[in-house]
Amino acid sequence: MGVDGGAGNAISLSEIQTFYGGSNPISMSEYYRAASGTEVPNTRTDTTTNTGVTGLVAQGSSSGATAGSSLDGNQSRLTIDGANNTNVNATVGTGTIVFSASTTVSVTKDGGTTILEDQAHFRLDSYDFLDGSNEISATVQAGSGTDQGDFVTIATLTAAQASGTVGLQVSFQAPSGEGSGTSPPVRIRRGGSVVHSLTTSYSNGSGSAQKLDITDAQSGDIVEVQKTQSANTTGVFLPRETLTGNADKVYSAGSYAVAFRGTGGNDNNSGLDATLNFSTSGTVQYNSFGGGFTSISTSNTDTSVNTNTNVPTSGTINMDIFNAPGTASA
């Protein structure tokens, strides 16, 4: 809407002055568009309500629990900083995020535990950006003399499971007194070729765990674990949502449920820290946060809006342009 109702309407200098301000005698030089020094601004600041949220996530009540993970959201992100303890959040934190325009959402996993605890997740509209429950784990029992050395399949990868950065993990604990050595492998086989293999060392019954990150897994790859005669071997396949997070997802304007369940760590490895990043030309609003979320507060956010975009910053001004200035504001 322009000064006198929009393009095509008759307009006068006095109407321009009434709309934008100014003093007599009227001079058109007052009405160049500029960041400052004239009556016609480049931008205005709009305040959108309920566009930021802060709070805590309730944590487990068993020994060692702390107050919980911190929650911090604004127009460009929603961040959870996990508490430094060994508990999973007692209940899932839930809420609603409203996008006023199409939004691309990505996830950043900011440190924290290398592998998610199997109850931990960070999801929007049932899409798991991070989800520890999707790991595939199997413990292969020690074999007899006739079948030790055999490989046991724990997964045949789908395209979704193979995409992105994935991982293998192996853990093994030999019987006490066996001395030192190397565990049987967990491996990825593609047809007749072994493309990745992971082992771990042990010493006199003291086992260990190792993890390997992989970026070239393919659909149809076989994940398998080898039997040994002396002890059980645990092999784990880790899809990317348990390590670095799933791929970006585009959401149309609308309201979407968010759910978070975090996992703690220890003094050397803090709890799960993760951020949902929002790339949008519109606004982000937070509603109805509850469940495991406590101490919730919301805040307003000032947004800069380009205004009067058709009004020139110098040169000749056609007075009629003020009836179509592009988001007119005084």
Side-chain angles (χ1 to χ4, degrees):
M1 187 69 72
V3 171
D4 191 33
N9 293 323
I11 194 170
S12 67
L13 281 172
S14 62
E15 288 173 314
I16 295 174
Q17 185 185 69
T18 298
F19 188 89
Y20 286 106
S23 58
N24 291 318
I26 301 173
S27 169
M28 286 301 293
S29 63
E30 295 178 76
Y31 301 104
Y32 289 120
R33 176 171 55 90
S36 61
T38 75
E39 305 294 343
V40 183
N42 270 323
T43 61
R44 72 163 186 259
T45 299
D46 288 350
T47 298
T48 306
T49 59
N50 195 20
T51 55
V53 60
T54 59
L56 293 175
V57 183
Q59 207 76 19
S61 59
S62 60
S63 177
T66 67
S69 307
S70 64
L71 168 75
D72 180 11
N74 58 29
Q75 289 290 286
S76 61
R77 60 170 177 78
L78 175 63
T79 296
I80 301 286
D81 289 323
N84 194 30
N85 65 66
T86 58
N87 299 294
V88 177
N89 291 335
T91 56
V92 177
T94 59
T96 301
I97 298 178
V98 183
F99 300 126
S100 68
S102 177
T103 302
T104 299
V105 181
S106 61
V107 66
T108 304
K109 187 170 178 289
D110 309 312
T113 51
T114 303
I115 302 167
L116 290 185
E117 195 277 343
D118 62 8
Q119 296 182 70
H121 61 258
F122 201 0
R123 61 182 58 134
L124 185 62
D125 191 37
S126 300
Y127 181 76
D128 291 320
F129 283 95
L130 289 163
D131 189 354
S133 69
N134 290 331
E135 70 176 43
I136 302 169
S137 176
T139 298
V140 175
Q141 303 296 314
S144 66
T146 58
D147 65 1
Q148 64 169 313
D150 288 352
F151 280 88
V152 177
T153 297
I154 65 172
T156 300
L157 301 185
T158 65
Q161 290 170 329
S163 65
T165 298
V166 301
L168 290 179
Q169 186 181 39
V170 60
S171 59
F172 180 80
Q173 188 165 13
S176 178
E178 184 159 318
S180 300
T182 301
S183 74
V186 56
R187 71 185 191 182
I188 293 181
R189 175 172 54 83
R190 188 172 301 151
S193 300
V194 176
V195 292
H196 295 285
S197 183
L198 179 65
T199 60
T200 188
S201 61
Y202 62 88
S203 177
N204 194 28
S206 177
S208 59
Q210 297 291 333
K211 185 179 76 70
L212 173 67
D213 288 343
I214 296 165
T215 57
D216 61 350
Q218 296 180 11
S219 176
D221 284 354
I222 305 296
V223 183
E224 51 192 14
V225 183
Q226 188 179 37
K227 292 183 178 180
T228 183
Q229 186 174 7
S230 61
N232 300 338
T233 305
T234 299
V236 184
F237 173 76
L238 303 155
R240 68 177 173 186
E241 59 265 34
T242 71
L243 295 178
T244 60
N246 265 326
D248 299 358
K249 185 174 175 62
V250 177
Y251 293 82
S252 301
S255 178
Y256 300 96
V258 62
F260 172 83
R261 193 166 194 176
T263 176
N266 53 49
D267 288 340
N268 298 314
N269 193 9
S270 60
L272 171 65
D273 299 333
T275 298
L276 295 184
N277 306 288
F278 310 135
S279 177
T280 180
S281 60
T283 59
V284 180
Q285 182 172 330
Y286 298 89
N287 293 332
S288 306
F289 275 70
F293 291 128
T294 61
S295 306
I296 294 297
S297 64
T298 60
S299 60
N300 298 335
T301 295
D302 291 338
T303 302
S304 180
V305 178
N306 291 330
T307 63
N308 305 307
T309 51
N310 289 346
V311 177
T313 59
S314 62
T316 301
I317 299 180
N318 183 333
M319 195 163 60
D320 291 337
I321 201 68
F322 290 95
N323 254 339
T327 314
S329 65

